[in-house]
Amino acid sequence: MTEKIAVLVVEDEALILMDIADQLKAAGFKVYEAMNADAAINLLNAHLDIRLMFTDIDMPGSMDGLKLAGAVRDRWPPVKIIVTSGARMIEITDIPDGSMFFSKPYNHTAVLSSMHEMLA
């Protein structure tokens, strides 16, 4: 049996969080869920198996998704990062090198394909 790849989803909108988490689980990923950056950092500290983070930009708490992406790149460099937003368009230079951006509403198939590509 192959071990499932662990993905951390960070999203403050509960329905969106449940939707993407369900899609990832159905695709065979192990999914950790956080509703803000502080919870995400706690999960990253506790679960060293996390290989990819999928985060929204705009969320409450001590930092937004862009700052979280930078913190994750600095502290956990092997973790791949996908950033998403329904309210903001960003430049590729706004996110860490090697990261990807999807605007909402995103295409689940495209997100899954990108995740597989990033983790290959």
Side-chain angles (χ1 to χ4, degrees), residues 41 44-45 53 63 65-81 94-97 99:
I41 296 290
L44 284 158
N45 278 324
M53 179 180 70
M63 64 178 94
L66 292 176
K67 289 181 183 168
L68 174 61
V72 168
R73 175 59 69 231
D74 290 344
R75 195 156 165 198
W76 296 277
V79 174
K80 307 297 182 191
I81 301 168
D94 294 334
I95 58 178
D97 286 346
S99 300

Side-chain angles (χ1 to χ4, degrees), residues 4-10 20 24 29-34 40 43-44 47-55 68-69 72-73 76-84 98-100 102 110-120:
K4 292 183 177 183
I5 295 171
V7 175
L8 171 60
V9 178
V10 189
I20 189 65
L24 293 172
F29 289 98
K30 178 179 182 181
V31 179
Y32 296 100
E33 302 173 22
L43 286 168
L44 284 158
H47 302 283
L48 300 178
D49 62 328
I50 295 172
R51 299 217 11 238
L52 188 142
M53 179 180 70
F54 182 84
T55 184
L68 174 61
V72 168
R73 175 59 69 231
W76 296 277
V79 174
K80 307 297 182 191
I81 301 168
I82 295 178
V83 177
T84 185
S99 300
M100 298 187 81
F102 283 91
V111 169
L112 289 169
S113 176
S114 294
M115 286 181 170
H116 287 294
E117 184 180 307
M118 293 174 88
L119 294 166

